[in-house]
């Protein structure tokens, strides 16, 4: 079994990205404290990627890129104007500039005004979901063992347990860069101690470090977040 994840630190603000560890950051883009940060003018890479979004989603996208570039500037100790984030052939974000001595892997997830960012020196995936009213669970996303475990829960518990499973799988597929081209039901997730989650992919335990976290925001919003490093 891999050890519990000690390599990802959730940070509380952009400046804390200067820390040497692998970091994750959950932002509420409507928080007035981020108002100045999201006004960063987009660069060429930001504008190119923004065109892949519909008009309604474009502004949020540009806000997320502004936050990500500032996290990277803090992390790398360079001016934000010199930071460029492109997209690789799979659709994953990648640091295009500046050139760095060690590789930096990036991952992003967004739900409404909330966005999560991860920067790591190993392949990483991050995913968030907002815990809302219970909905029917899409059984085909579950491994048979997960489906059996969820059957034993009440409606609210099943919904939350599904979101936990789903965020871990999405984060894992982002770390692999396959996205949802992979079949989610081939992967089984299993809670370990504390925040740890084990990932079993087509029957084999994956040497990944996966963690699940729950955040409360704006009094009554619960956000489930998963990070997976390979
Ligand atoms: C990646 C994916 C799981 C994202 O999930 P989502 O719930 O829609 O959205 P999220 O907000 O959590 O994540 C969006 C981010 O995922 C990232 N992303 C997209 N494709 C990715 C990939 N293959 N690997 C890693 N990250 C990816 C992008 O950074 C995107 O943010 P950006 O547009 O701001 O750069 C999903 O959109 C997907 O699978 N996309 C790839 C398409 C694909 O593979 N299709 C199958 C073809 S057969």
């Amino acid at each position: 079994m891999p050890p519990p994840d000690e390599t990802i630190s959730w940070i509380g603000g952009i400046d804390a990205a200067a820390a040497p560890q692998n970091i994750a950051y959950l932002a509420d883009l409507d928080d007035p404290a981020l108002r100045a940060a999201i006004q960063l003018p987009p660069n060429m890479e930001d504008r190119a990627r923004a065109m892949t979004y519909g008009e309604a989603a474009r502004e949020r996208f540009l806000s997320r890129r502004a936050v990500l570039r500032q996290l990277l500037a803090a992390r790398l100790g360079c001016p934000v104007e010199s930071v460029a984030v492109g997209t690789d052939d799979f659709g994953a974000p990648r640091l295009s500039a500046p050139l760095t001595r060690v590789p930096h892997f990036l991952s992003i997830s967004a739900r409404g005004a909330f966005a999560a960012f991860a920067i790591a020196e190993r392949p990483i995936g991050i995913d968030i979901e907002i815990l809302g009213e219970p909905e029917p669970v899409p059984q085909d996303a579950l491994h048979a063992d997960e489906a059996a475990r969820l059957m034993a829960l009440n409606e609210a518990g099943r919904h939350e347990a599904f979101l936990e499973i789903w965020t871990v799988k999405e984060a894992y597929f982002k770390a692999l860069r396959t996205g949802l081209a992979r079949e989610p039901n081939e992967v089984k997730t299993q809670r370990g101690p504390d925040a740890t989650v084990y990932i079993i992919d087509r029957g084999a335990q994956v040497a990944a470090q996966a963690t699940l976290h729950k955040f409360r925001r704006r009094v009554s919003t619960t956000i489930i977040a998963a990070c997976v490093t390979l």
Side-chain angles (χ1 to χ4, degrees), residues 49-206:
R49 178 76 175 167
M51 294 315 287
T52 67
Y53 279 81
E55 215 172 309
R58 212 167 281 158
E59 197 180 325
R60 287 282 193 217
F61 165 79
L62 289 171
S63 298
R64 292 196 295 274
R65 272 296 187 277
V67 171
L68 178 58
R69 286 175 57 208
Q70 286 174 73
L71 286 166
L72 284 161
R75 163 88 179 196
L76 302 171
C78 65
V80 69
E81 292 74 19
S82 66
V83 175
V85 175
T87 303
D88 73 11
D89 294 343
F90 303 93
R94 66 178 183 87
L95 181 65
S96 306
L99 287 177
T100 56
R101 199 173 42 83
V102 291
H104 284 79
F105 294 89
L106 314 177
S107 189
I108 307 164
S109 183
R111 287 292 172 273
F114 295 99
F117 306 86
I119 303 173
E121 292 182 2
R122 293 157 53 189
I124 187 155
I126 197 165
D127 196 67
I128 57 170
E129 295 289 344
I130 296 174
L131 181 62
E133 291 301 311
E135 289 170 18
V137 167
Q139 294 293 328
D140 57 357
L142 296 174
H143 183 277
D145 294 350
E146 293 169 334
R149 181 166 69 80
L150 263 55
M151 281 293 284
L153 303 175
N154 65 22
E155 194 188 20
R158 192 178 310 131
H159 178 60
E160 182 166 347
F162 172 74
L163 291 184
E164 291 180 352
I165 290 168
W166 183 246
T167 53
V168 173
K169 290 186 183 185
E170 279 220 78
Y172 175 51
F173 294 148
K174 285 180 181 172
L176 291 174
R177 298 192 301 164
T178 60
L180 292 175
R182 279 292 311 275
E183 282 298 334
N185 57 20
E186 293 175 347
V187 173
K188 176 172 130 179
T189 63
Q190 199 172 303
R191 288 302 297 256
D194 303 320
T196 308
V197 181
Y198 303 121
I199 299 176
I200 298 104
D201 191 346
R202 284 175 285 202
Q205 169 112 28
V206 176

